[in-house]
Amino acid sequence: MAFNQIDKNHLWHPYTQHKTAGPHPCIVRGKGAKLWDTEGKEYIDGIASWWVNPYGHANEFVAARIYEQLLTLEHVLFGGFTHSPAIKLAKKLLPLLPSNQQKIFFSDNGSTAVEVAIKMALQFHLNQGRKKTVVVAFENAFHGDTFGAMAASGIGIFTEAFKEMLLEVRRIPIPKKGLEQASLDALQKAVEDQNVAAFIFEPLVQGAAGMQMYEASGLDALMRFCKSQDILTIADEVMTGFGKTGKNFACAYLTEQPDMMCLSKALTAGTIPMSLTTTSQKIFDAFYDDDINKALFHGHSFTANPTGCAAALASIELLTSESMQKNISRINTLHKTFQVAYQPHPKIREIRILGVIMAIALKTDDTEAYYGTLRNNLYQFFIDNGLILRPVGNIIYVLPPYVITNNELQKIYDTIVLAIEKFV
Ligand SMILES: *Cc1c(COP(=O)(O)O)cnc(C)c1O
């Protein structure tokens, strides 16, 4: 049977109200953009399994590298030791990042990458005798679920139960076209009391908010202002990184450079959980001292796990290959063709595209809840039709693995059009 009884009895799934949720199909196998459950039902993974797997499921190239690493050195503590997979990763990754990024700190998921960046920002100031306790973030941001990352997140459903217990975060609107000045004004107001340590943002695309997009020039203006005020900038590229926006990193669209970056998700091609917080030399130097109290006292058991580093190295090789870059632009072109055909659709308000990301905002009233009835109906319709998409509110988005075939992508488009006819 596809729906496992032990799962029902004992497993607790994320973001799930188990009383009202349907059963969880039991997936046994994947290949490319496809997954199969215990009954042989086929699914197209239209969101790269929460944006982590751009190069296809059960990728043999990545698997071989991981296997080789497991038989050589599966793990060694990173406190007091180093190893060649971490060194090779630094050599390979840093040239792809903004040129000021010089240091890499390892952890295991997007939330901890953000957690580390926030702790670095607060201690950066403290180490220089300035106590600053506030962070600025965008409205509807998502930066993860641990306490610091959750504080920076602005989507109510994720933070409501804990809102009295969080780090102070001030919110500003994203600099959408026409709202650049309003966003900058809000930032200037938010930092007036000189108590703001850092500004954290998802560059160009707010993923969990439903792929909300804004222009690079608006973000550049905000970053320039932060620089003038000694407020650190943190680019959370956990979702946007590794090709999703059409460039290796969304920061490549900017003229300003962030002080820190957070990377995870696609970093290891959906294999070994790993994340990175990268920083400029300036950040590192504020911790570099004879005084041990000025060091960063943060670490995890699996910090810089060599197997994870080997997976990341293999992933970056795939990302930078000519064929993968061609896949990224192929998907972008197909999205644009869909946009031209369906933008005039009476039930579609807006179609947004950047790189392989496409979001379709539906013409419903905007009170649709994040996990509301429309979303649930759409989600179930897609599952019934062998498609994994997770709409949010009244937004359907596609973020496919780069290796998806044209036919698979066409099936996604066709099924979305059917769903819109049926439910909107
Ligand atoms: C998913 C996500 C995170 C959190 O990453 P996890 O690995 O789920 O902890 C942080 N920031 C952004 C922008 C994300 O999309």
Side-chain angles (χ1 to χ4, degrees):
M1 76 180 168
F3 308 120
N4 189 290
Q5 195 60 37
I6 294 175
D7 173 273
K8 192 168 166 14
N9 292 347
H10 298 293
L11 302 187
W12 195 338
H13 291 261
Y15 310 121
T16 300
Q17 174 47 271
H18 280 274
K19 185 164 184 190
T20 53
H24 293 76
C26 183
I27 301 295
V28 288
R29 197 162 64 84
K31 200 74 207 168
K34 287 198 174 128
L35 295 164
W36 290 269
D37 71 14
T38 34
E39 289 183 346
K41 179 173 169 165
E42 185 175 289
Y43 302 83
I44 299 171
D45 186 352
I47 56 166
S49 279
W50 264 340
W51 326 334
V52 304
N53 190 324
Y55 318 114
H57 291 284
N59 184 294
E60 286 167 29
F61 176 72
V62 181
R65 291 294 192 82
I66 289 174
Y67 184 64
E68 199 181 315
Q69 187 59 47
L70 282 172
L71 294 180
T72 311
L73 174 69
E74 85 302 340
H75 186 62
V76 62
L77 70 170
F78 209 56
F81 293 90
T82 192
H83 52 72
S84 84
I87 293 165
K88 283 188 192 150
L89 180 57
K91 189 159 168 241
K92 199 132 200 160
L93 177 66
L94 289 177
L96 302 182
L97 299 180
S99 62
N100 70 334
Q101 297 301 297
Q102 291 299 319
K103 299 285 173 180
I104 299 177
F105 191 93
F106 293 85
S107 51
D108 347 283
N109 61 74
S111 304
T112 54
V114 168
E115 208 73 32
V116 168
I118 290 175
K119 286 174 75 171
M120 281 177 173
L122 297 172
Q123 195 179 342
F124 168 86
H125 292 289
L126 198 66
N127 279 357
Q128 298 172 89
R130 299 186 297 269
K131 188 157 181 258
K132 299 195 181 216
T133 58
V134 178
V135 170
V136 169
F138 282 134
E139 289 162 3
N140 296 312
F142 183 78
H143 297 292
D145 291 336
T146 54
F147 260 78
M150 175 170 63
S153 298
I155 302 172
I157 193 168
F158 296 99
T159 58
E160 187 64 24
F162 311 99
K163 65 175 188 234
E164 312 293 323
M165 300 162 232
L166 301 173
L167 180 78
E168 184 179 348
V169 175
R170 297 183 188 147
R171 304 234 165 253
I172 64 171
I174 55 171
K176 271 181 104 111
K177 239 195 184 74
L179 297 174
E180 291 95 340
Q181 193 57 46
S183 180
L184 184 58
D185 289 347
L187 176 63
Q188 290 176 346
K189 196 157 180 304
V191 307
E192 260 169 7
D193 68 358
Q194 308 282 316
N195 199 15
V196 171
F199 165 43
I200 185 168
F201 50 84
E202 296 160 88
L204 307 197
V205 189
Q206 290 187 298
M211 304 297 159
Q212 302 293 340
M213 298 180 188
Y214 61 91
E215 306 280 317
S217 58
L219 182 56
D220 271 323
L222 299 175
M223 291 171 75
R224 256 194 308 279
F225 175 73
C226 285
K227 206 185 250 176
S228 76
Q229 304 287 308
D230 280 327
I231 293 165
L232 300 178
T233 52
I234 304 169
D236 177 354
E237 292 230 33
V238 169
M239 188 284 282
T240 51
F242 303 99
K244 311 258 180 55
T245 64
K247 297 197 185 221
N248 288 337
F249 295 93
C251 283
Y253 288 94
L254 301 169
T255 47
E256 294 298 317
Q257 296 186 327
D259 296 297
M260 298 184 233
M261 293 175 75
C262 305
L263 308 174
S264 188
K265 292 205 165 117
L267 169 65
T268 54
T271 58
I272 313 286
M274 197 168 85
S275 65
L276 310 174
T277 308
T278 68
T279 82
S280 65
Q281 188 69 38
K282 176 179 94 171
I283 304 298
F284 181 81
D285 287 347
F287 292 76
Y288 192 76
D289 200 278
D290 291 321
D291 182 358
I292 187 156
N293 292 305
K294 290 198 171 172
L296 180 72
F297 275 90
H298 189 104
H300 297 281
S301 315
F302 282 94
T303 297
N305 173 255
T307 316
C309 292
L313 276 163
S315 301
I316 293 169
E317 254 181 69
L318 289 176
L319 172 70
T320 52
S321 70
E322 197 181 324
S323 65
M324 208 57 74
Q325 293 293 318
K326 274 194 185 143
N327 278 330
I328 292 170
S329 50
R330 171 179 60 91
I331 294 167
N332 181 259
T333 304
L334 291 169
H335 282 348
K336 283 180 174 157
T337 306
F338 178 91
Q339 183 185 37
V340 169
Y342 285 96
Q343 183 61 71
H345 193 289
K347 293 178 173 178
I348 292 176
R349 177 175 302 160
E350 181 189 41
I351 300 178
R352 305 185 277 271
I353 295 170
L354 189 66
V356 304
I357 306 167
M358 178 168 76
I360 304 162
L362 304 173
K363 265 192 199 160
T364 61
D365 63 58
D366 266 330
T367 55
E368 275 321 325
Y370 196 88
Y371 282 112
T373 309
L374 174 64
R375 179 266 173 208
N376 291 343
N377 286 337
L378 290 168
Y379 177 80
Q380 196 54 49
F381 180 80
F382 292 137
I383 288 292
D384 293 345
N385 284 277
L387 205 56
I388 302 175
L389 294 177
R390 288 177 67 95
V392 296
N394 61 352
I395 295 158
I396 300 171
Y397 73 85
V398 186
L399 197 168
Y402 307 157
V403 296
I404 194 168
T405 66
N406 289 357
N407 283 342
E408 289 162 348
L409 198 49
Q410 192 57 49
K411 184 182 169 192
I412 294 180
Y413 296 147
D414 294 345
T415 312
I416 288 175
V417 172
L418 284 178
I420 293 172
E421 290 304 336
K422 195 169 156 73
F423 294 106
V424 181

